[in-house]
Amino acid sequence: LRAEFENAGHGCEIVPCRYAPPDIFKRYDLVGVAFPVYGFRPANNILDFIERAEPAESAVGFLLACCSLIPANSLRRAQKALAKKGVNIIAGITIRGEESWTAVRFKGLIIGRGRPDERDDARLRNFAREVTRRWRMFREGEPVPPVRFKRFSPWGLIGLITTRRAMRYAMLGKFLDEEKCTQCGLCAEICPTGAIRLQPYPVFGEQCMGCFGCVNLCPEEAISTPLTWGRTRYKGHRTLREAGIAPLHS
Ligand SMILES: Cc1cc2nc3c(=O)[nH]c(=O)nc-3n(C[C@H](O)[C@H](O)[C@H](O)COP(=O)(O)O)c2cc1C
Ligand code: SF4
Ligand code: SF4
């Protein structure tokens, strides 16, 4: 997306929502909110980020949901939460990614394996061009076609009860093997909710939303849950820097 926006002559910054300033919708001409679907709804840290954002007058945004198979009505939920903050969503897309929820990963069966792939990349590039087109229409006062996302999904009903606490409990706890842990601090760096403190070993706080990031990405496999036994782990980008994402206020 960034490449396409830059090709069209626009500046583009990628900001992890953990570091996003509360007035973000006032600062930028266009804000894209990208999120993984966790528990049939937008990840709880994204909904928290929207909740704490300052309302803006007629801000413009777009949505990108990443899921392994079932996005439910996540785009609609994010759109509704953003509308309360005065953000007008002009486009949205769902892209499949490799399942990172360790509980359903098996050696021979990984949902969404290899996604996003080249076709997803092409879809994203087209999407960026469409977003740019609609944004220009909006700026020039032309009517932008309304964006309607799926309102109802039976899976979305489960999404209503998958709160942060429910997701944390569903992990059945996190257990640290101090023999394996090198106190490298990577888990604290990648935790999207800032729930991990090194004291000097990692201690997990109440902000945890059960995303499995720390379990998946610890290089020593020092963090486990009963759900991880015998299953493969998702090894994604290890640090924000490796993903090409610079925190705005690091
Ligand atoms: C806790 C958790 C819950 C998830 N729930 C869903 C879901 O309800 N529907 C779905 O299609 N994918 C679900 N996934 C898969 C993620 O959407 C997929 O892993 C994600 O889009 C890839 O980004 P990530 O690497 O940030 O997890 C879940 C993943 C995790 C970790
Ligand atoms: S990433 Fe693993 S090894 Fe590093 S501090 Fe966290 S638990 Fe310890
Ligand atoms: S599972 Fe780990 S990385 Fe994810 S929110 Fe909880 S403590 Fe942070």
Side-chain angles (χ1 to χ4, degrees), residues 35-41 65-72 74 95-102 111 155 167 171 209-213 216 234 236:
F35 56 87
V37 176
Y38 284 172
F40 308 109
R41 62 194 247 162
C66 183
C67 73
S68 65
L69 191 62
I70 305 171
S74 300
I95 286 286
R96 286 187 65 191
E98 191 165 288
E99 177 65 62
S100 64
W101 192 34
T102 322
I111 305 167
W155 298 101
M167 296 288 280
M171 280 186 89
M209 60 166 181
C211 75
F212 277 88
N216 284 333
Y234 170 71

Side-chain angles (χ1 to χ4, degrees), residues 22-89:
D23 63 348
I24 190 156
F25 294 113
K26 296 177 189 163
R27 281 196 197 198
Y28 295 87
D29 296 327
L30 174 71
V31 177
V33 178
F35 56 87
V37 176
Y38 284 172
F40 308 109
R41 62 194 247 162
N44 285 297
N45 64 322
I46 298 291
L47 293 175
D48 289 350
F49 149 70
I50 298 173
E51 184 61 37
R52 65 174 184 268
E54 289 172 13
E57 260 179 49
S58 64
V60 194
F62 68 88
L63 295 173
L64 163 58
C66 183
C67 73
S68 65
L69 191 62
I70 305 171
N73 52 351
S74 300
L75 284 174
R76 172 77 182 159
R77 281 195 66 165
Q79 183 186 32
K80 269 179 81 178
L82 284 160
K84 287 188 190 149
K85 300 290 173 167
V87 183
N88 181 7
I89 295 299

Side-chain angles (χ1 to χ4, degrees), residues 56-194:
E57 260 179 49
S58 64
V60 194
F62 68 88
L63 295 173
L64 163 58
C66 183
C67 73
S68 65
L69 191 62
I70 305 171
N73 52 351
S74 300
L75 284 174
R76 172 77 182 159
R77 281 195 66 165
Q79 183 186 32
K80 269 179 81 178
L82 284 160
K84 287 188 190 149
K85 300 290 173 167
V87 183
N88 181 7
I89 295 299
I90 56 168
I93 189 171
T94 302
I95 286 286
R96 286 187 65 191
E98 191 165 288
E99 177 65 62
S100 64
W101 192 34
T102 322
V104 293
R105 286 176 66 97
F106 299 90
K107 280 208 171 77
L109 171 74
I110 293 172
I111 305 167
R113 192 198 287 268
R115 307 290 292 273
D117 57 20
E118 281 173 12
R119 276 166 55 190
D120 297 315
D121 190 60
R123 271 186 72 215
L124 278 169
R125 285 175 184 277
N126 282 336
F127 175 71
R129 287 193 281 270
E130 180 61 16
V131 169
T132 311
R133 194 178 71 80
R134 287 176 177 231
W135 177 75
R136 286 193 181 133
M137 286 168 73
F138 186 88
R139 288 282 281 212
E140 283 156 23
E142 289 175 36
V144 180
V147 191
R148 293 202 181 87
F149 301 120
K150 194 193 225 177
R151 269 171 191 268
F152 177 78
S153 148
W155 298 101
L157 295 176
I158 304 173
L160 291 175
I161 54 168
T162 50
T163 58
R164 168 189 293 260
R165 181 180 293 189
M167 296 288 280
R168 191 166 65 239
Y169 286 166
M171 280 186 89
L172 305 178
K174 291 173 288 301
F175 300 96
L176 181 77
D177 185 338
E178 291 189 0
E179 303 259 293
K180 288 184 180 172
C181 176
T182 58
Q183 302 171 18
C184 70
L186 181 70
C187 51
E189 186 188 348
I190 60 92
C191 173
T193 62

